[in-house]
Amino acid sequence: MLTNQNFIKVFFLETHVERISNLQDFKKAELDRETGLFLYEDMTLGRRFEDKCAEMYYRGKMFGFVHLYNGQEAISTGVIGAMKKKHDWFCSTYRDHVHALSAGVPSFEVMSELFGKATGCSKGRGGSMHLFSREHHLLGGYAFIGEGIPVALGAAFSSRYKKEVACDKSSDSVTAAFFGDGTCNNGQFFECLNMAQLWKLPIIFVVENNKWAIGMAHDRATSNPEIWRKASAFGMHGEEVDGMDVLAVRGAAQRAIERARAGEGPTLLECLTYRFRGHSLADPDELRSEKEKEFWGKRDPIKKLAQEIIEGKFATEEELKSIDKKIDTEISESVKNALEAPEPPSEELTRYIWAED
Amino acid sequence: MAGTLLFNALKEAIDEEMANDVNVCVMGEDVGQYGGSYKVTKDLYEKYGELRVLDTPIAENSFTGMAVGAAMTGLRPIVEGMNMGFLLLAFNQISNNMGMLRYTSGGNYKIPAVVRGPGGVGRQLGAEHSQRLEAYFHAVPGIKIVACSTPTNAKGLMKAAIRDDNPVLFFEHVLLYNLSEELPDGDYICALDQADVVKEGKDITLLTYSRMRHHCLKAVEELDKKGVDVELIDLISLKPFDMETISKSIRKTNKVIIVEECMKTGGIGAELIALITEECFDDLDARPIRLSSQDIPTPYNGNLENLTIIQPHQIVEKVEDLISGSI
């Protein structure tokens, strides 16, 4: 007899490991020296910035809930790195530091924000989960699950509106909305997939499926663990991709961007990934098995790219090490300067409530 | 010259602002082809096209959030709540995104959006369609809240709300859409933050808003016959309150009664009394009084519904009691 459980097993690959081990071939982005070094540098910046955040948090320089991105760098770099800075739009979640960095927000401004300083990208009023930068088209970090997706949809709507209503031919921006597997059980996800496809909006829904919504395993929370397949319910194009492989993510992103810019509508891109740390720095991380962590730890996206660069002779190990060093220097300077930066003035407590302030 | 109905006054405002600024757009349920559930956007779909007058699926939280994203990226959206009560589903977007986002972002973004629609207690519409959300949203920082009450102020306030760079919650009343009035000529606006002194008087101040303005007018007429000279003020702005106009009136009359349609607990009157007590205590000769709706879900039955909200005769009685010193 075909029970419900058997039914799921027959038609859907159930576990995260099983899925990533059975991914079909898809066209990856091409690797050359310039691309490889750019991707490597961006991912390294993300990783080392987050490591520094953990250090600063434990040293009592940073407060609140801090959610680190370690392990997922291939997604931020793969997607944002394929988009046009200060032209396309980016929308993030509470795990937003690295998206901000990839979008071009200087590490000094992000670190300042985490220290609550006046020089922070949100003037010390946002904190870790609420990074914003109009200059870099970062629509923001949204801390409630799913609430960023409609905002991203609005940016995509503006793009089409300006082109067709205001007749601005240069208006071809694409919006990337980042969110996790847990969000894909939330109504706003489905509502926005529907509207995006209905109106053919230039948006990419980037699911960073890291398998765990804090302590809720993805397979325990959803009836069909293959999120990318949910696109088909809306007649939308969906893809699953190895989220630990920056070239794979970049390739998928390039296809989605091209379709969006051509007015062919949205894409649901499910990136299979894993976070190397707990949900936040306050998470005891007791539910994830060592075996699982070990499996994913071997798929470190930065090491994978480094290996491909070296084996393809696009650059030497020494060159990559010099990038590491450069990034470490940059982050150290950002930390030093952010620590020395001024606090927001007390007399400006109520500033920015109103548009006129 | 024939008068203009309130819903048409709102439409004129939206139409004129859409004609003036290509970034002004409307979105919501049935705002386009259907013309809006109370016909506030009738014919605008044909005039401006489907992107500017966007018929959305029934997804209040997502299309309200979409308006926020559109406003952050340069548009000036007007969101219609088919019934304002439905926007409870968009509470997060109105609170976290519209109200708080500019501050949280350290001034990176502004949100020039208007959220409008019919609210208040209608005629036997049942509890869910008879809500007064102004009180629920009152604590949200960063949003302006206004309530229109006549065709003239409906048009002038709507134009001001659309032009404002801040998010504005704009309350219309389901029973006022067919009020008719001759509108002023030309392009006029009404200030979003100014109360309207409907009638000057010296004996007592009545503070009210939305449909209760008209209940108060009936009471004022009755009281006038009895020789009581009431000063009637329509608050217009529910956030922030125009305390200058309110204080000035209380300094003159030394007595105040608030007449509201929202529920008593945690209502507009509750906040107003707190402010009046803080700012006008020494000017008061009697305790400030609230006449509010009962703290119950609005019942369907017509008699029970009438008992739920304040009626003109209750205003007359309470004013007389206060003037005579019996309370």
Side-chain angles (χ1 to χ4, degrees), chain B residues 126-128 130 132 263 294-300 304-305 308:
Chain B
E128 294 189 343
S130 307
R132 283 94 348 130
M263 288 182 280
Q294 300 289 316
D295 280 328
I296 58 173
T298 310
Y300 164 70
L304 297 182
E305 186 179 73
T308 304

Side-chain angles (χ1 to χ4, degrees), chain A residues 89 113 121-123 125-127 130 132-140 142 144 146-148 150-162 164-166 186-189 191-192 194-195 198-199 201 348-357, chain B residues 18 21-25 27 48 50-52 54-75 92-93 96-97 99-111 141-144 164-167 239-240:
Chain A
W89 295 86
E113 188 59 36
C121 58
S122 306
K123 304 283 193 293
R125 283 146 175 88
H130 301 296
F132 290 86
S133 173
R134 185 172 172 75
E135 183 191 351
H136 296 94
H137 284 206
L138 177 65
L139 292 162
Y142 293 82
F144 281 14
E147 65 169 342
V151 173
L153 193 77
F157 177 76
S158 280
S159 175
R160 193 184 149 198
Y161 185 101
K162 285 175 191 166
E164 293 179 29
V165 177
N186 182 287
Q188 291 165 99
F189 168 71
E191 291 176 359
C192 290
N194 177 49
M195 287 191 271
L198 180 67
W199 299 320
L201 298 182
E348 289 190 3
L349 174 65
T350 60
R351 191 174 172 197
Y352 304 125
I353 286 279
W354 303 111
E356 294 75 18
D357 291 336
Chain B
M18 287 183 80
D21 183 349
V22 73
N23 292 318
V24 177
C25 56
M27 52 185 73
Y48 294 105
E50 63 179 8
L51 275 185
R52 292 193 74 185
L54 186 73
D55 278 320
T56 64
I58 304 165
E60 286 84 0
N61 52 355
S62 290
F63 71 67
T64 307
M66 185 174 111
V68 173
M72 288 167 74
T73 50
L75 303 189
N92 180 67
Q93 281 69 26
N96 280 358
N97 304 157
M100 286 162 41
L101 190 145
R102 177 172 171 78
Y103 185 84
T104 306
S105 77
N108 266 288
Y109 291 96
K110 58 182 183 185
I111 323 282
I143 53 172
K144 297 183 177 180
D164 202 281
D165 275 343
N166 297 286
K239 187 172 188 177

Side-chain angles (χ1 to χ4, degrees), chain B residues 147 149 153 195-198 208-210 213 232-236:
Chain B
S149 54
N153 68 33
D196 176 15
V197 182
V198 182
T208 191
Y209 66 94
S210 190
R213 167 180 176 142
L232 175 61
I233 294 177
D234 183 337
L235 297 167
I236 302 288

Side-chain angles (χ1 to χ4, degrees), chain A residues 74-126:
Chain A
I75 303 168
S76 180
T77 299
V79 175
I80 297 175
M83 299 177 80
K84 290 186 197 165
K85 304 263 176 77
K86 299 187 179 181
H87 177 80
D88 292 325
W89 295 86
F90 315 103
C91 193
S92 186
T93 66
Y94 47 82
R95 201 180 303 283
D96 57 354
H97 309 170
V98 178
H99 295 137
L101 295 171
S102 291
V105 184
S107 59
F108 166 68
E109 285 187 29
V110 180
M111 195 58 86
S112 291
E113 188 59 36
L114 301 179
F115 293 157
K117 297 299 184 75
T119 48
C121 58
S122 306
K123 304 283 193 293
R125 283 146 175 88

